[in-house]
Amino acid sequence: QTAQTHLEAWLSLALFCVFLFQSEYHYEYTACDSLGSRWRVAVPHTPGLCTGLPDPIKGTECSFSCKAGEFLDMKDQSCKSCAEGRYSLGTGVRFDEWDELPHGFANVATTLEVDDSFSESAENCTTSTWVPLGDYIASNTDECTATLMYAVNLKQSGMVSFEYIYPDSSIVFEFFVQNDQCQPTVEESRWMKTTEKGWEFHSVELSHGNNVLYWRTTAFSVWSKTPKPVLVRNIGITGVAYTSECFPCKPGTYASKPGSTFCKLCPPNSYSGKGATSCQQCESNTYSEQGSGTCKPRPPCTDKDYFYTHTACDTNGETQLMFKWAEPKICSEDLPDAVNLPPSGVKTKCPPCNPGFFKTNSSTCEPCPYGAYSNGSGCISCPAGTEPALGLEYKWWNTLPANMETTVLSGINFEYKGMAGWEVASDYIYTAAGASDNDFMILTLIIPGFSPPQSVMEDAENKEVARITFVFETVCTVSCELYFMVGVNSKTNTPVETWTGSKGKQSYTYIVEKNATMSFTWAFQRTPYHEAGRKYTNDIAKLYSINVTNVMDGVASYCRRCALESSGSSCTSCPPGNYIDRTSGACHPCAPNTYLKAHQPYGHQACIPCGPGTVSNKIHSLCYNDCHFLLAKDGRTLEYDFSTLANSTSFTSGPSFTTKGLKYFHHFNISLCGNHGRKMASCTDNVTDIRVPDGEVEFSKSVTSYACQSIVVPSDVMGYKTVVSSQPVSLADRFVGVTTETTLDHITSPPDYFPTENVGVPEVIFFYRSNDVTQSCNSGRATAIRMRCNPLKTGSGTLSMPRKCPDGTCDGCTFHFLWETAEACPLCSAYDYRAIVSACVGGIQRTTYVWREPKLCTGGSLLPEQTVSICKTMDFWLKVGISAGTCAAVLLTVMTCYFWKKNQKALLHKCCCCFL
């Protein structure tokens, strides 16, 4: 027994020595040779240790790999299953823990080249990198370029995959792979698509050899709030030659079976540590969320942990008020100072049905058939000569309408939860309590399409297909936010408007400009910051009513007069530009130079006079200026012709800079006049467009109007192949008028914005308004373009903005532009030139016409040709005068002599008589 004991001790010591010696080295493969072979060698942990190591032996083929859930045991070069609590991808690796940047990743922030004229105090981009945040890594949100890189050498073709959230198109997000020659592999797929519902999966095939993976982001949110970052998680790469070990499950996950390819999340109210084979239940006084590594103490229940709702109407037409704990319930009712759930079951009379619906015998609400309307009670057939005004109006909230849905998006891991984010409350619908105060409470309304009046469908320039108007209110103690978003044909929701903090009861209207399936989404977030428990449940958003017009297959709350066929029995459509007589139902054409309110074409008052200097188009759908303008001044008529300026003209403001030194410009496009009222100015968002497939360009974000603005970043600044244009905004959707007055329809163009020394020619001002209504511009944006005659600036001339408002606007709502060009001068007329008559030379006299100086006209009348007339010179008249004078002198002398002689004879005769 003693010998046996010594033998066992010796064996244990030997095994310990072997283990100790083996721990001083590990196995690796040499590089593959040209035949695809390699050797397994032992590599010491201590440099310089070269004795006692195992001899190299021939290794597995370079293309050899283990299956997912297995690893390569380098000792005997065979594949073995992963143990419980561990996993592997076989030929790949996965990065799902982001407490810090994993080994092998590089995080680079690009500092922009700041213009020499820009202040040296601009912040640099050193800290604008991707940030690890536990389960995922988040991008930067400024205008710097942040790049996350990972280099990998593949022994065989493989794949890279990851999940991402990309909610804000103000950020450019690209993922691409470069090969050995630093050339991108697939150029077309590098631009990532924005996400709408949580995490999206993306994968790209990788080729054999070296691959460098790039995740790159740059924000272009120049004048809006900080965009939401891009999030990336669960990066997996396959195609590496082998994995020599399995990875332990991270805390909050587990693998209960050998050979696992991934780890499962622990369910709520359970937890696990690293490498767990199962999850442990939390104690009754603690709780945890799904995928948690620890449990947290339950707080005492408060009035912020429950909410109220109403049951559906019963057969007696009554509803019950119900109180429910907010899910998941994390509070405890057994702790001191905890509140209990209020009693439920109080019955009240059901609210009426919504307009266009009627109440059935079972107290449910059903839509009225086509041709009938209701105020929420019974259906009434439309009278003869009328038709139902189809739409949807929700103002009573007993149950959630069938075309609406609600959910909650976690503000922590951005996963959608199977719970309601909004609850009905009779005369309004409000936000319920989420699992966390930073959750997004989401409500979505789906409209399958629209059926606008025929006159609207025939008008290519009328953007309004329908409109949605809702009345809302927010009650907040912190900086809550209510988002209103619009989606087209199931495409990504685009934020339209955001309200921050408490807002009193008010209405908002959005104009629908595309006849397509539309989704309207309201998202409410109490706070962007995550804290344990619920503190701001009483911060809520309320929707009192939602009204959508011209809804396809909608219902009617009233009937409107319609045009009657010649038989007088059924409704028809009036020809374009005709209004409907409310009494007879007859169609009458609008008067000249008026436009018709297409959505309310009743009575002659529906034809609205055009503004000064404008005319209506053929179908009376809009007013426009035909590029001509007449002005009576000082007894003459000035005629202007702006036809050469009719095409779209663009110009760019001076450079501006963000705090990080990003140089950008305000780019404007202007379609001044003509084109029969068609809007020719277009601004696009190619930050979005560059990711839109060719067949879906019509759904990209672009603006077409008389004047629009976008933010432009030069291509040389960011290193892209093209100029980056973003955030297009319409500044002019309809003509207000053309005049020389400085104010029109409450739009003022102050003369001191553009001082001038030339007062000889009146300046013509074009006034426009846009349809975009914002919180700061409740009447929409307006534009005033002042046309200044400058003969020295030929062609299209130059456009400029006020010096005191370098961005074109001083209040953010009214934009001012000065257009200096010779084309802004009135047409030349006889008043603008004068005649110069020459001296008579050789019996010829010439009359020459010259322009008055300074010449302040263009085109129009030409200078008359020089005229020539016959005249008598001065020498001729001098000779005539001398001859006449000489003749008169001779005649006078002769007569003098004659009368002298005659007097002499008479005197002599008298003397003789006296003598006799």
Side-chain angles (χ1 to χ4, degrees), residues 256-336:
S256 60
K257 297 179 180 180
S260 295
T261 59
F262 65 94
C263 299
K264 299 179 181 180
L265 292 174
C266 288
N269 297 321
S270 66
Y271 71 97
S272 72
K274 189 172 184 178
T277 60
S278 63
C279 299
Q280 305 297 319
Q281 290 296 317
C282 293
E283 299 292 335
S284 59
N285 60 346
T286 62
Y287 75 98
S288 70
E289 298 172 353
Q290 184 183 36
S292 296
T294 59
C295 296
K296 303 175 184 177
R298 291 185 182 272
C301 292
T302 68
D303 59 355
K304 299 178 176 61
D305 291 302
Y306 63 83
F307 64 95
Y308 62 92
T309 185
H310 289 76
T311 62
C313 293
D314 58 24
T315 56
N316 297 323
E318 293 181 329
T319 179
Q320 296 185 56
L321 178 65
M322 305 295 293
F323 291 92
K324 297 180 179 180
W325 291 114
E327 294 295 339
K329 183 185 177 186
I330 62 175
C331 66
S332 173
E333 302 170 70
D334 301 326
L335 295 175

Side-chain angles (χ1 to χ4, degrees), residues 414-435:
F414 298 93
E415 298 277 4
Y416 280 90
K417 303 177 179 179
M419 55 189 297
W422 293 67
E423 290 289 343
V424 295
S426 186
D427 55 352
Y428 60 85
I429 184 171
Y430 75 106
T431 50

Side-chain angles (χ1 to χ4, degrees), residues 347-371:
K347 291 187 175 183
T348 58
K349 185 179 179 180
C350 282
C353 292
N354 281 305
F357 291 80
F358 70 97
K359 188 163 291 187
T360 65
N361 294 331
S362 59
S363 295
T364 59
C365 294
E366 295 291 337
C368 289
Y370 181 81

